[in-house]
Amino acid sequence: MFSFCLLQILTLPSECLNRNRDSSDQATFFQSSTVQFCIFQRSIRQMKRMENVSRSPWISLTTSTIQGLSTIHAYDKRQQYIELFKVLSDTNSNHFLLFNCGTRWLSFWLDFLSATVTLTVALFVVLSPNETINPSLKGLALSYTIQLTGMLQFVVRLSTEVEAKFTSVERLLEYITVCVSEGPRSIKEANIPKSWPQEGSITFKNYSMRYRDNTPIVLNKLNINIKPREKVGIVGRTGSGKSSLGVALFRLAEAAEGTIVIDGMDVNKLGLKDLRSKLSVIPQDPVLFIGTVRYNLDPFNNYKDEQLWQALEKTYMKDTIAKLPEKLESPVVENGENFSVGERQLMCMARALLRNSKIILLDEATASIDSETDSMIQQTIRDAFQHCTVLTIAHRINTVLESDRILVMDQGKAVEFDRPQDLMQRPNSLFASLLAAANHVNT
């Protein structure tokens, strides 16, 4: 703390440190107070900044611990998280205590300054003759001087604390100016037809992508042509770039090179809202929002109850929702915790069925569903999405054997792209080796 204050003194502007040696003692006292206030302003900002920064990990740990409480108990990691919580809490408390001590330090010096001024005025009032100054004016001056103690401390402390708490605004401004934002939501010059996409053809032209600057390429010069209404299974080992294809299709990350063309339109020239509203995705991690079952299926109230029940029936969730007391108006808690993971996945699939998009992306959509339900869902996908282009990122390779073509990814490249029957008959086929390994694990 002393070294920090010394650093602040050394970096003070010259006008705060220059003193007039020939000035009176009162001027020297006030100049000293000004120097101390300059030190306080710089110090209190840094203390509040450190307190804000140290608070974020503490709150993040608390939130993640509450959400993963069952996992912590299962692995008996309670003591480890308690110790980590104590460390982060102590770190934040240290900075918070420094901030409060700094404000109390200012309060002491303001009280001392006010008491000194009050004493000076009081001595002047007592020692000065009444012929020089009217006694009523002396009382008025003394009254105002006493009020100065509270007013001065209130105004100065309020102004300095507001300045210190504006470090939060400073962080927000940094996020706004430094972080790279997504593309525009809509582009008027794009001239998108209302019925786009009509066919659902997708073409990757020399496409490369990385998630952030100075990070490795995750998709490397892809040249793929997916025909309209074609069912494509995407397979590959972990880290091969399967899910990155979905990221690229929805423009969650911008292209490093090349482009994606959907029904003759370059997606890089479209607004994000115009693009993403025309596509549907059934994610690997099912997402439900706080609200009702109806809100999660149809957030914009575009469909009737009969259509909602039809979508739930196709995904085998009709009986489950019908048994709830309020049916479609039944509440959904945060992250859909009152439904199992499989039920959440089925509701996400029902949501995609309602939108009836021409392009559907299934990112390991049946990973949390048992084999019997999985087979029924696959039949539903074949029936409900027969007029759509379906890209299925496979969790179980056997689920994509009936696809029109199989895309095999490896290290961000498309190494094989052909019918599954042809790939299985090829010697040294990577798809055949993956299928053999999956069958070996199942047996």
Side-chain angles (χ1 to χ4, degrees), residues 232-251:
V232 177
I234 305 172
V235 300
R237 299 190 182 277
T238 302
S240 60
K242 304 187 299 297
S243 297
S244 299
L245 282 174
V247 172
L249 194 62
F250 282 83
R251 279 184 63 190

Side-chain angles (χ1 to χ4, degrees), residues 33-76:
S33 301
T34 305
V35 172
Q36 291 174 354
F37 186 70
C38 291
I39 297 173
F40 171 78
Q41 277 188 310
R42 291 169 175 263
S43 302
I44 204 68
R45 284 199 303 265
Q46 294 297 333
M47 291 175 188
K48 188 61 179 177
R49 187 175 289 113
M50 290 187 295
E51 195 265 329
N52 287 340
V53 171
S54 63
R55 192 193 312 128
S56 298
W58 177 54
I59 296 177
S60 177
L61 176 68
T62 304
T63 305
S64 60
T65 301
I66 293 173
Q67 293 178 351
L69 201 57
S70 57
T71 305
I72 294 173
H73 284 294
Y75 286 91
D76 195 19

Side-chain angles (χ1 to χ4, degrees), residues 128-316:
S128 61
N130 293 335
E131 293 78 10
T132 306
I133 300 177
N134 193 306
S136 61
L137 295 179
K138 291 182 180 180
L140 182 63
L142 189 60
S143 175
Y144 281 167
T145 304
I146 294 173
Q147 294 180 10
L148 177 66
T149 304
M151 295 296 295
L152 178 65
Q153 183 170 156
F154 175 76
V155 172
V156 176
R157 281 192 61 185
L158 186 64
S159 61
T160 53
E161 288 185 12
V162 168
E163 181 183 358
K165 291 180 179 179
F166 255 77
T167 55
S168 300
V169 181
E170 179 182 83
R171 295 179 70 188
L172 291 175
L173 184 61
E174 181 181 358
Y175 295 150
I176 294 172
T177 56
V178 176
C179 295
V180 180
S181 61
E182 290 187 315
R185 289 176 55 83
S186 60
I187 300 176
K188 296 181 179 180
E189 295 78 10
N191 297 323
I192 306 173
K194 293 184 178 180
S195 58
W196 180 88
Q198 295 180 342
E199 301 294 332
S201 63
I202 306 172
T203 304
F204 289 80
K205 295 182 178 179
N206 199 34
Y207 187 86
S208 298
M209 187 197 77
R210 56 167 52 93
Y211 284 101
R212 290 176 299 277
D213 294 336
N214 303 320
T215 57
I217 291 288
V218 292
L219 294 178
N220 192 3
K221 297 185 181 300
L222 292 181
N223 288 284
I224 305 170
N225 185 19
I226 300 174
K227 301 175 183 178
R229 296 180 293 278
E230 190 173 24
K231 309 300 182 288
V232 177
I234 305 172
V235 300
R237 299 190 182 277
T238 302
S240 60
K242 304 187 299 297
S243 297
S244 299
L245 282 174
V247 172
L249 194 62
F250 282 83
R251 279 184 63 190
L252 299 178
E254 296 295 339
E257 182 183 0
T259 185
I260 301 175
V261 178
I262 298 178
D263 279 5
M265 299 198 70
D266 186 353
V267 299
N268 292 329
K269 298 179 180 178
L270 304 179
L272 295 181
K273 180 182 177 182
D274 300 330
L275 171 65
R276 295 171 183 174
S277 62
K278 301 297 183 179
L279 310 177
S280 292
V281 59
I282 304 175
Q284 180 178 358
D285 298 321
V287 178
L288 294 183
F289 304 98
I290 297 177
T292 62
V293 174
R294 181 194 301 275
Y295 173 76
N296 277 274
L297 294 176
D298 181 23
F300 302 107
N301 294 322
N302 295 328
Y303 305 99
K304 299 179 180 179
D305 288 0
E306 293 78 8
Q307 294 173 299
L308 299 180
W309 285 113
Q310 288 176 4
L312 291 171
E313 184 177 6
K314 291 179 181 179
T315 55
Y316 308 98

